[in-house]
């Protein structure tokens, strides 16, 4: 177990942990949301947001399992989450699907929260729960899009690695190329 982490149990055969920094982010996020929707709804929003990150990480882990790669653990931390895989993907195709599974799950959640918001009246002024549903739809869409940016260690960087690996057949060269793209992306964001 990582130092400073709280074990949340084993779900679907995968150890789930939460770093203490998640509590700080949850408090900041909850405080920010509470001003507009009240504390109870803000807590619900934060819990559903953390659940969304878990769904994203479980999508990676369960897709990896389908390709014969076991997951050591899933760790929630201040900047999101990480599924720690026990080994590399066996093929470029497996690497691509394992990487894409998280953003796909986040996009599905964005559509689901957006759909519930729409079916419930489609107007954030209708109440705090409507506002949180819309916020969850938007935040999951942003999570999916951000993770698709083409640079390691983001999921988009792993997809780039898979594409380059499939193209020239060298896993290590592909990893270096995705790493360079990640460096360029980081400097661009700064």
């Amino acid at each position: 177990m990582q130092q400073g982490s709280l074990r949340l149990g084993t779900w679907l055969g995968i150890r789930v942990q939460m770093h203490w920094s998640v509590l700080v982010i949850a408090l900041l996020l909850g405080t920010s949301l509470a001003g507009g929707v009240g504390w109870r709804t803000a807590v619900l929003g934060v819990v559903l947001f953390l659940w969304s990150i878990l769904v994203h990480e479980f999508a990676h882990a369960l897709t990896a399992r389908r390709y014969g790669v076991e997951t050591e653990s899933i760790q929630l931390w201040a900047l999101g989450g990480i599924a720690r895989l026990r080994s590399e993907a066996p093929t470029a195709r497996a690497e691509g699907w394992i990487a894409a599974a998280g953003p796909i799950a986040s996009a599905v959640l964005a559509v689901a929260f957006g759909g519930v918001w729409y079916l419930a009246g489609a107007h954030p002024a209708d109440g705090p729960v409507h506002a949180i549903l819309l916020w969850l739809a938007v935040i999951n869409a942003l999570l999916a899009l951000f993770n698709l940016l083409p640079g390691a260690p983001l999921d988009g960087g792993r997809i780039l690695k898979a594409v380059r690996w499939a193209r020239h057949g060298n896993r290590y060269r592909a990893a270096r190329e995705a790493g360079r793209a990640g460096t360029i992306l980081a400097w661009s964001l700064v």
Side-chain angles (χ1 to χ4, degrees), residues 3 12-13 20 48 54 61 94 96 121-122 167 179 185 188:
Q3 188 172 8
L12 302 173
W20 64 267
L48 287 173
L54 274 176
R167 179 140 176 123
L185 178 63
S188 298

Side-chain angles (χ1 to χ4, degrees), residues 63-77:
T63 304
R65 183 181 287 170
R66 182 190 173 313
Y67 286 101
V69 179
E70 289 302 312
T71 303
E72 181 181 315
S73 66
I74 290 176
Q75 170 94 32
L76 291 178
W77 60 295

